[in-house]
């Protein structure tokens, strides 16, 4: 969905010709009047961006965002709970340093986390103070760049989401662009060229030396691991509030190049899919764009993961595509389903000693709800039914393990409504917990309604409500129209 930034137009009554004499201009043909009113007033000084960054309202929003995002402490050990007392005591000094352009960030804490498909992802965690300053900086710079960012870019932008990018990909395929050039940038955040990035920032914000100096210092801030700080000459570490905006500034050059060539594409951060109509065109585009990215943008293309293929054989942002009657459909990629199940298994291990209702509300439901909200645009009615069954199975398994003793199991099953003979037979069975948890007696004793009363997130019910909503039918007694 396009974002439209419309400037307000103010109508000004023009004075009559009797009161104002228009200076004579020679050599100008008929058409628009080129005369500009001349006044004795000097042009007002442009507002310094650093002053906008340090405005009270902007700082309050930045503080709220940093605290609500939580996050771990940086190299100084300060937590988000300690941010407010620190600012009350030291803000005057920090503000003065920022205004004078002499503020120097603290080193970044280096953290490595495993990727789902193997390898590790490097994160750089700034101190809470630097996260606060970067957030305030981001809030001022983001609207400036939103005016020029491509309509084909969906990552880390206000009012845009991965779902919209996937829907646009589906639209291109239904228009006949049945070959995708799946571009994968190798360690993009580690390879960003500082000089090219700073030149783009200075081009868009000329004369704002305080901002330029501050961003450049953040780019060059060293990383600390094992008590040793290593300097950086390239890259934008993931994990800071400013890095998503900086990555979009870098990759906007790729967007503009693709648009100038008239190519259909969708980009979400460093994931870029280009759609063409033939494999021959795909190979030509892949070679040409690879050359542009590596030689001009000074980035690297992962040629092992980048492919020219049919979209149904690739995955994009956790989704995949399939052919159906009338066009191309969207479904959840198998790996995304596996990752959800792995996450639920981990949660269930930690929930063995918890009250079941508390476990569902505090740990399980937030995970399920977040996953569903991301993938709900996919065709997954059958998948939702299967996930609901599998999750209830795991919860019954937790209950069975919590009871431990056979006699306790018998008492609880009989209390749940099973006849004594049936309860005794299942309670004193020698079969394992997982097999017993999916048995018919356990399903009778603890049916779907039991877990609904506990407040368990219901995939199928939520999916049907979402489908009703996007079709404009009645939901909760109201009619909503989705554009």
């Amino acid at each position: 969905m396009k974002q439209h930034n419309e400037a307000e137009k103010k109508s000004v009554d023009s004075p009559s010709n009797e009161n104002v004499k228009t200076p004579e201009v020679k050599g100008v043909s008929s058409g628009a009047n080129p005369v500009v009113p001349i006044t004795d007033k000097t042009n007002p000084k442009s507002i310094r961006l650093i002053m906008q960054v340090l405005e009270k309202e902007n700082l309050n929003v930045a503080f709220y965002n940093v605290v609500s995002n939580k996050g771990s402490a940086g190299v100084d050990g300060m937590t988000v709970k300690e941010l407010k007392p620190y600012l009350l005591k030291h803000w005057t000094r920090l503000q003065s340093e920022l205004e004078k352009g002499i503020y120097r960030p603290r080193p970044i804490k280096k953290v490595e986390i495993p990727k789902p498909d193997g390898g590790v992802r490097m994160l750089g965690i700034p101190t809470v103070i630097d996260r606060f300053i970067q957030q305030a900086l981001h809030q001022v710079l983001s609207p400036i760049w939103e005016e020029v960012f491509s309509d084909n870019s969906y990552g880390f932008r206000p009012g845009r989401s991965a779902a919209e990018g996937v829907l646009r990909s589906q639209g291109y395929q239904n228009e006949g662009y049945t070959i995708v050039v799946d571009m994968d940038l190798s360690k993009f955040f580690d390879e960003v060229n500082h000089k090219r990035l700073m030149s783009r920032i200075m081009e868009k914000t000329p004369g704002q030396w305080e901002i330029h100096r501050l961003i450049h210092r953040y780019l060059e801030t060293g990383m600390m691991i094992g008590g040793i700080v290593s300097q950086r000459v390239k890259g934008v570490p993931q994990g800071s509030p400013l890095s998503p905006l900086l990555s979009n500034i870098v990759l906007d050059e790729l967007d503009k190049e693709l648009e100038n060539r008239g190519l259909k594409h969708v980009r979400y951060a460093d994931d870029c899919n280009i759609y063409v109509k033939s494999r021959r065109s795909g190979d030509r585009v892949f070679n040409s764009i690879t050359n542009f990215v590596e030689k001009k943008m000074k980035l690297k293309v992962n040629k092992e993961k980048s492919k020219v293929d049919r979209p149904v054989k690739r995955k994009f942002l956790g989704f995949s595509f399939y052919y159906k009657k009338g066009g191309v459909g969207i479904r959840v990629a198998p790996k995304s389903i596996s990752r959800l199940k792995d996450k639920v298994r981990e949660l269930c291990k930690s929930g063995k000693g918890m009250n079941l209702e508390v476990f569902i509300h505090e740990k399980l439901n937030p995970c399920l709800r977040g996953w569903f909200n991301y993938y709900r645009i996919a065709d997954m009615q059958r998948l939702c039914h299967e996930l609901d069954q599998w999750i209830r199975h795991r919860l019954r398994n937790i209950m069975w393990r919590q009871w431990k003793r056979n006699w306790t199991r018998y008492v609880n099953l009989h209390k749940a409504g099973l006849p004594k003979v049936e309860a005794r037979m299942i309670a004193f069975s020698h079969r394992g917990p997982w097999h017993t948890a999916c048995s018919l007696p356990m399903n009778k004793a603890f049916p779907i309604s039991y877990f609904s009363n506990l407040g368990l997130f219901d995939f199928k019910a939520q999916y049907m409500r979402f489908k009703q909503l996007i079709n404009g039918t009645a939901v909760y007694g109201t009619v909503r129209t989705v554009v």
Side-chain angles (χ1 to χ4, degrees):
M1 190 177 291
K2 284 189 176 182
Q3 288 185 334
H4 299 283
N5 295 320
E6 298 181 354
E8 294 183 355
K9 297 180 179 180
K10 298 181 180 180
S11 58
V12 180
D13 294 333
S14 55
S16 63
N17 292 333
E18 297 177 0
N19 300 327
V20 178
K21 293 182 179 180
T22 304
E24 192 174 339
V25 181
K26 296 181 180 180
V28 178
S29 61
S30 60
N33 190 349
V35 177
V36 179
I38 301 174
T39 65
D40 57 355
K41 296 180 180 179
T42 58
N43 292 330
K45 292 183 178 179
S46 61
I47 299 177
R48 307 301 295 174
L49 288 181
I50 191 65
M51 301 311 295
Q52 294 183 26
V53 171
L54 299 175
E55 283 182 356
K56 185 177 180 180
E57 184 178 351
N58 186 58
L59 293 173
N60 286 337
V61 174
F63 176 83
Y64 172 80
N65 287 332
V66 170
V67 172
S68 60
N69 287 337
K70 298 179 181 179
S72 58
V75 295
D76 59 355
M78 184 187 297
T79 64
V80 290
K81 292 182 180 180
E82 300 171 283
L83 177 59
K84 185 175 181 179
Y86 183 89
L87 291 176
L88 290 173
K89 186 176 181 180
H90 299 282
W91 178 245
T92 302
R93 174 182 59 81
L94 291 172
Q95 183 178 17
S96 175
E97 291 179 359
L98 290 166
E99 288 178 357
K100 295 176 182 178
I102 60 174
Y103 175 79
R104 290 194 173 275
R106 296 291 302 275
I108 300 171
K109 183 179 179 181
K110 184 178 180 179
V111 177
E112 292 181 347
I113 59 173
K115 290 183 179 180
D117 54 351
V120 294
R121 176 180 287 111
M122 183 190 71
L123 294 182
I125 302 176
T127 63
V128 177
I129 296 297
D130 285 320
R131 294 210 295 270
F132 169 65
I133 296 171
Q134 287 192 35
Q135 181 64 38
L137 190 59
H138 179 278
Q139 291 165 185
V140 171
L141 292 180
S142 181
I144 296 174
W145 283 95
E146 280 297 316
E147 297 178 358
V148 300
F149 279 156
S150 169
D151 188 52
N152 298 296
S153 168
Y154 290 89
F156 310 123
R157 294 181 61 189
R160 288 178 164 246
S161 65
E164 291 179 324
V166 173
L167 289 172
R168 175 165 281 200
S169 298
Q170 181 191 35
Y172 286 148
Q173 294 174 59
N174 286 328
E175 291 173 11
Y177 296 88
T178 56
I179 297 295
V180 63
V181 181
D182 189 354
M183 299 288 293
D184 185 90
L185 300 182
S186 177
K187 297 182 178 180
F188 163 72
F189 286 92
D190 301 338
E191 296 293 332
V192 171
N193 186 283
H194 289 177
K195 290 183 180 180
R196 288 183 59 80
L197 173 57
M198 287 308 304
S199 67
R200 295 216 68 198
I201 293 173
M202 289 188 283
E203 181 182 354
K204 188 63 181 172
T205 56
Q208 304 290 343
W209 64 270
E210 304 97 338
I211 297 294
H212 303 158
R213 181 176 292 179
L214 182 59
I215 294 175
H216 190 248
R217 284 176 175 168
Y218 274 125
L219 289 174
E220 292 191 328
T221 300
M223 274 197 169
M224 179 178 287
I225 181 168
I228 300 174
V229 178
S230 59
Q231 296 302 315
R232 294 185 301 116
V233 294
K234 62 179 181 179
V236 178
Q238 298 181 71
S240 69
L242 202 55
S243 60
L245 176 62
L246 297 180
S247 66
N248 272 333
I249 292 173
V250 172
L251 291 171
D252 185 62
E253 186 177 2
L254 176 60
D255 292 333
K256 296 296 189 290
E257 179 67 18
L258 294 172
E259 289 170 358
N260 290 337
R261 299 185 185 193
L263 294 170
K264 309 289 186 183
H265 80 285
V266 177
R267 183 179 65 78
Y268 189 95
D270 57 336
D271 290 325
C272 184
N273 278 4
I274 308 166
Y275 293 90
V276 294
K277 291 189 175 182
S278 69
R279 190 174 292 271
R280 185 177 179 181
S281 297
D283 291 334
R284 184 177 64 251
V285 167
F286 176 76
N287 293 330
S288 176
I289 296 301
T290 298
N291 186 61
F292 174 81
V293 168
E294 293 187 340
K295 292 189 176 179
K296 187 170 183 181
M297 297 183 66
K298 310 300 182 184
L299 298 173
K300 294 180 181 179
V301 174
N302 189 329
K303 295 184 173 113
E304 293 182 1
K305 293 185 177 180
S306 300
K307 299 290 182 183
V308 178
D309 210 336
R310 293 195 175 275
V312 293
K313 295 183 179 180
R314 307 294 295 172
K315 65 182 181 70
F316 183 48
L317 303 178
F319 294 86
S320 61
F321 302 96
Y322 70 99
Y323 297 124
K324 65 176 183 178
K325 186 177 180 180
V328 174
I330 303 171
R331 61 185 175 188
V332 183
K335 283 187 178 180
S336 302
I337 301 171
S338 298
R339 284 198 290 269
L340 171 66
K341 289 187 174 182
D342 290 342
K343 180 64 177 177
V344 171
R345 289 188 187 99
E346 290 178 13
L347 291 174
C348 288
K349 287 179 182 179
S350 65
K352 287 180 181 178
M354 293 180 65
N355 174 276
L356 192 63
E357 186 172 4
V358 174
F359 168 72
I360 288 172
H361 283 279
E362 293 186 0
K363 290 196 171 185
L364 187 59
N365 276 356
C367 170
L368 302 181
R369 189 177 294 111
W371 190 92
F372 172 78
N373 287 337
Y374 183 85
Y375 289 104
R376 61 185 179 179
I377 64 165
D379 300 328
M380 57 174 185
Q381 184 171 345
R382 182 177 177 180
L383 173 62
C384 286
H385 177 69
E386 292 173 354
L387 287 174
D388 284 332
Q389 287 185 320
W390 183 79
I391 289 167
R392 288 192 294 267
H393 187 175
R394 296 215 67 88
L395 292 176
R396 293 187 186 103
N397 182 54
I398 290 177
M399 296 166 64
W400 189 260
R401 288 177 176 276
Q402 284 180 339
W403 294 336
K404 294 183 179 179
R405 300 175 62 186
N406 292 343
W407 184 255
T408 306
R409 292 166 178 168
Y410 165 74
V411 171
N412 286 326
L413 288 170
H414 181 55
K415 191 185 297 183
L418 280 185
K420 289 185 178 180
V421 175
E422 196 171 2
R424 187 180 297 110
M425 183 172 60
I426 191 70
F428 290 91
S429 170
H430 295 291
R431 292 184 174 180
W434 182 252
H435 183 275
T436 307
C438 67
S439 64
L440 182 59
M442 278 293 287
N443 278 264
K444 286 170 61 178
F446 301 98
I448 297 174
S449 58
Y450 174 81
F451 296 101
S452 297
N453 292 333
L454 290 179
L456 176 64
F457 183 85
D458 190 325
F459 277 103
K460 188 174 180 180
Q462 292 298 328
Y463 182 71
M464 296 307 295
R465 288 173 186 169
F466 176 71
K467 283 298 184 182
Q468 290 176 335
L469 178 63
I470 63 174
N471 290 331
T473 56
V475 180
Y476 299 119
T478 62
V479 177
R480 301 181 185 179
T481 302
V482 177
V483 180

